[in-house]
């Protein structure tokens, strides 16, 4: 998620660093991948212990550099934590009134303050950590410092397994347990208020079973999905069609 190239006249000596993190029950591990020339080495830097199982994590690329590894972590009980791994600093612990498992988190690529979180009841929320929360009967007793602006922006009658933005943050792909790939238009998003759920631009259907993972191509023209049909499917956004299904897997993708 972070790429720092040292200026050097000899391109073979350029070094790049990338951050990675993974959740394992009540431990969140963080590491750095260093690459110099064609040699790649991974080095674990830190791990933190948490009280509730951690489910998902994402880095904010606009805030990550050689001094900061700024992330948001989602938990089994619906809680959210803003954490800088390099400085070992918990900048904000966000309370959630949903108290549901967070299935996936993604920062909006063009924003340093907005991220989206999906839950196991099929709801998708967006959060703006720079905006104050709107107090309601369900959260008025919460500690003010743990509340930030949030709004539901999508809802389906199925578990949401993974979400991912295109490179510009204009579209959001949603892989769901009902077997559908939903592509949402996030250009209508307002960081102040949303009157309605985000509009669906495209829908695609798996061969059978749920879709478990989703990823955009670098040019945002294609989407890859994997699922319970043991297939990798490539979808064209420009032509609105299935390009191919990759067979060969003996289990879920």
């Amino acid at each position: 998620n972070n790429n720092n190239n040292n200026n050097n006249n000899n391109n073979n000596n350029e070094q790049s660093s990338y951050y990675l993190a993974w959740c394992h029950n009540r431990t969140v591990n963080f590491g750095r991948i260093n690459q110099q020339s064609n040699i790649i080495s991974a080095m674990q830097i830190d791990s933190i212990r948490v009280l509730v199982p951690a489910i998902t994590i994402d880095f904010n690329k606009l805030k990550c550099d050689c001094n900061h590894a700024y992330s948001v972590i989602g938990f089994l009980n619906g809680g959210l934590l803003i954490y800088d791994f390099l400085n070992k600093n918990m900048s904000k612990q966000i309370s959630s009134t949903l108290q549901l498992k967070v299935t996936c988190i993604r920062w909006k690529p063009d924003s340093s303050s907005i991220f989206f979180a999906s839950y196991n009841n099929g709801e998708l929320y967006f959060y703006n950590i720079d905006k104050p929360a709107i107090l309601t009967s369900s959260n008025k007793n919460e500690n003010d410092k743990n509340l930030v602006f949030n709004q539901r922006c999508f809802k389906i009658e199925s578990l949401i397994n993974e979400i991912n933005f295109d490179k510009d943050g204009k579209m959001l792909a949603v892989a769901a347990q009902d077997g559908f790939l939903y592509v949402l238009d996030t250009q209508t998003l307002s960081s102040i208020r949303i009157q309605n759920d985000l509009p669906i631009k495209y829908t695609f259907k798996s061969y059978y079973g749920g879709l478990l993972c989703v990823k955009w191509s670098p040019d945002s023209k294609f989407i890859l999905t994997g699922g319970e049909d043991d297939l990798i499917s490539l979808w064209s956004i420009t032509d609105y069609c299935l390009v191919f299904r990759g067979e060969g897997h003996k289990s879920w993708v």
Side-chain angles (χ1 to χ4, degrees), residues 13 34 54 66 96 103 117 131 134 148 158 188 217-218 248-249:
N13 292 326
N34 295 320
C66 59
S96 173
T103 59
K131 296 289 182 181
I134 298 176
V148 300
S158 176
T188 60
S217 65
H249 292 273

Side-chain angles (χ1 to χ4, degrees), residues 7-45:
N7 293 326
N8 196 310
N9 292 329
N10 185 352
N11 291 332
N12 292 328
N13 292 326
E14 285 188 354
Q15 178 171 314
S16 300
S17 295
Y18 306 87
Y19 297 148
L20 72 155
W22 62 99
C23 303
H24 179 68
N25 200 4
R26 289 179 169 85
T27 302
V28 182
N29 300 289
F30 169 78
R32 172 185 284 161
I33 297 176
N34 295 320
Q35 179 177 358
Q36 186 165 4
S37 300
N38 294 323
I39 301 175
I40 298 177
S41 61
M43 175 179 62
Q44 183 169 330
I45 295 177

Side-chain angles (χ1 to χ4, degrees), residues 60-199:
N60 188 319
K61 295 182 181 180
L62 296 182
K63 286 191 173 183
C64 284
D65 53 33
C66 59
N67 298 313
H68 300 277
Y70 196 77
S71 68
V72 59
I73 307 169
F75 295 90
L76 182 66
N77 65 351
L80 300 163
L81 177 66
I82 307 295
Y83 190 79
D84 185 343
F85 280 94
L86 288 186
N87 293 282
K88 299 184 179 181
N89 176 37
M90 182 184 71
S91 62
K92 190 180 291 289
Q93 184 174 357
I94 302 173
S95 298
S96 173
T97 58
L98 294 178
Q99 297 182 348
L100 296 168
K101 175 183 175 182
V102 183
T103 59
C104 191
I105 286 177
R106 290 291 180 267
W107 288 97
K108 199 167 186 291
D110 57 349
S111 174
S112 62
S113 61
I114 294 176
F115 67 86
F116 283 63
S118 60
Y119 295 85
N120 66 350
N121 67 340
E123 291 187 334
L124 179 67
Y125 275 70
F126 91 94
Y127 291 78
N128 189 333
I129 60 176
D130 289 343
K131 296 289 182 181
I134 298 176
L135 296 180
T136 65
S137 58
S138 61
N139 65 17
K140 64 181 180 181
N141 295 323
E142 293 281 353
N143 191 328
D144 287 346
K145 70 178 182 179
N146 292 338
L147 294 174
V148 300
F149 180 87
N150 65 88
Q151 177 81 40
R152 196 194 83 179
C153 56
F154 187 62
K155 165 72 174 174
I156 55 174
E157 299 301 322
S158 176
L159 171 69
I160 295 176
N161 287 316
E162 189 173 27
I163 58 176
N164 254 315
F165 278 100
D166 70 338
K167 64 182 180 67
D168 297 320
K170 295 180 179 179
M171 291 183 287
L172 180 67
V174 178
Q177 190 60 37
D178 61 8
F180 280 95
L181 167 63
Y182 302 91
V183 182
L184 309 181
D185 181 3
T186 56
Q187 295 185 81
T188 60
L189 177 70
S190 167
S191 60
I192 304 300
R193 186 178 181 184
I194 291 182
Q195 297 289 347
N196 301 297
D197 284 356
L198 293 173

Side-chain angles (χ1 to χ4, degrees), residues 183 201-204 221 235-243:
V183 182
K201 291 193 70 172
Y202 311 101
T203 56
F204 302 96
K221 294 181 179 180
W235 313 91
S236 171
I237 293 299
T238 53
D239 296 327
Y240 188 52
C241 68
L242 173 68
V243 179

